[in-house]
Amino acid sequence: MTYDPLPTLIPTLRPLLAAEASAEALGSGTDPGDLEQAVWLRLLERLESDGPPADPALWLRGAVQAEARLTRCTDHQEAAYATEPADDTECGPEERALSADRKRTLHAAVRRLPGRCPGLMAALLSPKDLTYREIAGELGMSQGSLGPERSRCLGCLRRMLAAEVAAPAPWGMER
């Protein structure tokens, strides 16, 4: 019989992880829930490959700092657009009609998504530009589960839209 360290590690480390993630999140400009989720994932990967750390608290602090550092590095490499990519303020009637049709198709597909996905995607597409904390509160789910749930919903949405929209042939020709 093998020893499973998770039942003892999780309750022991949860308060420390929450405190460390909150402290590091202030400096890195990221969400504490995202940091917590990334560190839990690191712990699971470590348990699978190397077993439990000798000093879990020390390991956890280092993992939170490493994830925060990774977030800061990634943020420096990403640059925001000067304008919205889909800004159609200077387009003709044909472009506006095509844009409106794409939006209708997208929103119709979002309404057909399973489970919590319609509410989550509607919140993400909202013109209110809600934060993850606001979306989590509105949907009654944990902030840390929004990222994975969003990924699942987007994957489902991609599959739905790919089936509805014909893929262009090589060199941009439609079939």
Side-chain angles (χ1 to χ4, degrees):
M1 184 170 169
T2 60
Y3 166 69
D4 183 13
L6 277 180
T8 57
L9 273 179
I10 291 177
T12 305
L13 294 178
R14 181 175 280 138
L16 178 61
L17 177 55
E20 290 289 327
S22 292
E24 282 294 330
L26 290 174
S28 67
T30 189
D31 180 60
D34 290 344
L35 276 177
E36 284 183 51
Q37 188 171 14
V39 172
W40 284 128
L41 181 61
R42 268 190 186 214
L43 178 62
L44 290 174
E45 290 169 345
R46 174 181 171 106
L47 289 174
E48 190 173 285
S49 63
D50 301 330
D55 184 351
L58 182 65
W59 178 89
L60 182 120
R61 286 185 184 103
V64 170
Q65 290 170 357
E67 285 298 327
R69 190 171 36 254
L70 181 65
T71 301
R72 283 190 298 270
C73 289
T74 304
D75 287 347
H76 290 305
Q77 294 171 356
E78 295 175 352
Y81 289 113
T83 61
E84 285 292 320
D87 188 10
D88 58 0
T89 55
E90 296 183 29
C91 62
E94 182 179 354
E95 289 87 8
R96 283 195 299 274
L98 289 172
S99 176
D101 185 53
R102 282 191 298 269
K103 286 179 185 176
R104 274 192 302 277
T105 302
L106 175 65
H107 286 281
V110 165
R111 285 191 297 273
R112 291 192 316 271
L113 287 169
R116 293 187 193 178
C117 290
L120 176 58
M121 296 308 295
L124 291 169
L125 292 169
S126 169
K128 296 178 193 174
D129 196 26
L130 301 170
T131 65
Y132 263 32
R133 179 174 289 157
E134 292 167 331
I135 292 171
E138 189 174 294
L139 298 177
M141 56 193 296
S142 74
Q143 195 171 337
S145 65
L146 279 179
E149 185 78 19
R150 182 198 65 182
S151 293
R152 283 189 291 277
C153 294
L154 286 174
C156 188
L157 184 61
R158 275 188 211 98
R159 287 187 296 278
M160 287 173 65
L161 291 174
E164 293 177 16
V165 179
W171 299 286
M173 299 178 179
E174 291 189 21
R175 297 177 195 182

